Amino acid sequence: MNSNPFVGAKSKTLLYIILNTTVAWIFFVYVYPTNPNSSGNYVPCDIKATREVIQTTPKTSVSLSCYMYKGETRTEKPKKQLKKLSCKRRLPSFVIIGVKKCGTGALRYYLDLHPEVEVIGQPMNLEARDEFSVNETLRRWASRMPLTSPKQKIVAEFQYDFHAYETFFSPDKALKIIVILRDPIARAVSDYLHVQDLSFGSFPLTYRNERVSDNEYRTIKVYKNYELLPTFEQTITSHDGKLNASNIIIWRGIYMGYIQWLVDKFGRHRVVVVDGDNFKKNPAFVLKELESGLGLTPFFQEDHFQLDVNGMFYCPNIPERPDRKCMSDSIKTKGRKHPEIDESVLEMLREYYRPFNHKLQEFLNQNFTWV
């Protein structure tokens, strides 16, 4: 039996220290966790809420992307990281070829926020020259694409001449074609305003006179395939007030012809049609649907988008992508205010587009908010 009284005392002291240390550790880790605020001071935080945030916050693009983001600048990662990520220039997995002024640029802009997506910055035109074979043209096309890792997909936007790309879309059976459509009346007004702005620039512009009566003429401004008058109403109607259905601003809104050609050529499973009006009102909902249709990992959330100061457009709100701001801020030609259109002209347009819109819905078996 140990007769030294100090041994028992030391054991009790050591046990006391271990017990108190354990209790203190449990308290500070599980009962009173702390977190630094913006000023560097530590404040209490909700450990349960923190765990929920960690579990529900999707992966950012940092681990997948071949690029780094600082402010509004995007630069390639160091060569060692590019090699580790197997970054290279690949052909697109998805192409956006919607009708002019239906929101193709906006859709491309917002899809780029997804960690598994890289987009080419500007709309493309394929160099379909006789001296280039299809393979050579595809090689040249791929050289213009951004760097991607194997788990990422490229989205490219093309001009709206659908038939020009038939040869290049056909070889890749996995490639999906995204078409975004909007209310054809709103599209027509937007197209008119867009061309009116362009026609005051350095583009070639001519004028011609049209006889209205024996002693009256009206001057028409001609820009490319467009014939413009001072107002939208005058532009789309003839001098007797009837709708001029041959005007390019009007017939571009008959979507059925484009869509039927795409589906017949590439198959319904490769054509994804997006409701542009719904996209403008609820981008998160539409992008979630698009994620599913394109086979992307779920990422987009409601709080990724917030209304701009004017309450007109949703702007990106993703901290990991500071390079993406409101489109109306970065692209001055976006968000033009539409003038009030004469109600009789609007009714004329509704009657004209109605059968085409219903036929489109039936053909796609898909409802649109603007029909």
Side-chain angles (χ1 to χ4, degrees):
M1 184 174 179
N2 190 351
S3 59
N4 190 340
F6 294 102
V7 174
K10 287 180 179 180
S11 298
K12 290 180 180 180
T13 302
L14 182 61
L15 182 63
Y16 180 79
I17 292 172
I18 293 172
L19 182 62
N20 277 275
T21 302
T22 303
V23 171
W25 181 81
I26 291 172
F27 176 79
F28 283 106
V29 172
Y30 288 98
V31 179
Y32 193 79
T34 56
N35 205 24
N37 62 15
S38 59
S39 63
N41 299 319
Y42 278 78
V43 295
C45 69
D46 186 345
I47 190 70
K48 182 179 179 181
T50 303
R51 286 172 178 161
E52 288 176 353
V53 168
I54 292 173
Q55 291 169 358
T56 58
T57 301
K59 294 180 180 179
T60 67
S61 59
V62 175
S63 59
L64 293 176
S65 180
C66 302
Y67 298 93
M68 302 180 295
Y69 300 93
K70 185 176 181 181
E72 298 184 19
T73 305
R74 184 182 83 162
T75 56
E76 291 182 8
K77 288 181 177 179
K79 289 185 177 180
K80 286 186 177 180
Q81 292 187 43
L82 294 178
K83 185 176 180 180
K84 185 177 180 180
L85 288 167
S86 300
C87 294
K88 68 177 185 179
R89 303 188 190 280
R90 298 171 166 85
L91 286 171
S93 300
F94 318 121
V95 293
I96 305 174
I97 55 172
V99 180
K100 183 184 179 185
K101 306 310 296 177
C102 275
T104 53
L107 185 60
R108 169 176 54 85
Y109 190 87
Y110 288 100
L111 267 177
D112 187 46
L113 297 167
H114 196 289
E116 294 175 0
V117 169
E118 284 287 352
V119 304
I120 187 163
Q122 295 295 327
M124 298 184 66
N125 278 319
L126 291 178
E127 299 171 350
R129 302 182 194 170
D130 293 337
E131 63 265 32
F132 295 152
S133 65
V134 172
N135 288 337
E136 172 64 13
T137 303
L138 290 175
R139 186 191 66 77
R140 293 167 66 89
W141 187 19
S143 69
R144 297 164 62 187
M145 296 296 159
L147 293 170
T148 52
S149 58
K151 292 184 178 180
Q152 288 186 297
K153 309 292 184 184
I154 292 179
V155 174
E157 178 192 349
F158 290 87
Q159 301 293 346
Y160 40 85
D161 185 5
F162 294 6
H163 299 73
Y165 311 124
E166 175 181 352
T167 304
F168 308 101
F169 293 167
S170 296
D172 186 355
K173 301 298 183 183
L175 182 143
K176 289 196 173 182
I177 301 165
I178 306 169
V179 186
I180 181 168
L181 305 175
R182 67 187 291 199
D183 178 356
I185 300 175
R187 192 221 69 82
V189 177
S190 183
D191 198 3
Y192 169 79
L193 295 175
H194 177 73
V195 178
Q196 278 284 27
D197 279 357
L198 292 179
S199 67
F200 287 108
S202 57
F203 299 90
L205 187 65
T206 59
Y207 294 86
R208 72 174 180 84
N209 289 324
E210 180 183 69
R211 183 188 293 272
V212 176
S213 64
D214 290 341
N215 300 316
E216 186 180 359
Y217 292 84
R218 64 178 186 174
T219 301
I220 298 176
K221 183 165 53 178
V222 181
Y223 169 76
K224 294 185 176 180
N225 296 325
Y226 290 85
E227 295 189 342
L228 306 171
L229 284 157
T231 68
F232 174 76
E233 291 90 338
Q234 292 172 332
T235 297
I236 66 165
T237 57
S238 56
H239 60 80
D240 59 0
K242 294 180 180 179
L243 184 68
N244 181 10
S246 63
N247 189 303
I248 188 173
I249 291 176
I250 299 302
W251 62 253
R252 271 218 172 110
I254 303 174
Y255 306 135
M256 183 60 201
Y258 308 131
I259 298 301
Q260 185 165 5
W261 182 86
L262 284 172
V263 170
D264 291 346
K265 194 68 186 177
F266 303 109
R268 180 67 178 94
H269 65 288
R270 291 178 64 185
V271 179
V272 180
V273 182
V274 176
D275 185 332
D277 285 12
N278 200 22
F279 174 61
K280 181 180 178 180
K281 296 173 184 175
N282 194 346
F285 176 80
V286 173
L287 288 169
K288 286 178 182 179
E289 284 192 329
L290 201 52
E291 284 174 332
S292 176
L294 299 178
L296 298 171
T297 302
F299 168 75
F300 290 111
Q301 302 178 58
E302 295 291 338
D303 61 3
H304 282 168
F305 306 93
Q306 60 184 15
L307 281 170
D308 64 7
V309 292
N310 298 317
M312 293 179 61
F313 301 99
Y314 280 93
C315 305
N317 181 37
I318 300 179
E320 295 82 11
R321 291 299 304 272
D323 59 314
R324 287 303 192 201
K325 305 294 184 183
C326 290
M327 285 192 73
S328 55
D329 292 340
S330 57
I331 306 174
K332 298 305 179 185
T333 58
K334 299 294 182 183
R336 296 182 182 89
K337 185 177 180 180
H338 286 200
E340 288 189 18
I341 306 300
D342 184 271
E343 183 59 34
S344 63
V345 173
L346 289 176
E347 186 56 35
M348 191 189 307
L349 288 169
R350 292 187 196 108
E351 289 294 324
Y352 177 74
Y353 283 123
R354 186 172 290 117
F356 298 111
N357 292 339
H358 284 297
K359 188 175 180 181
L360 178 69
Q361 284 196 145
E362 292 174 6
F363 180 74
L364 291 174
N365 192 26
Q366 179 177 343
N367 292 326
F368 296 96
T369 57
W370 36 268
V371 175

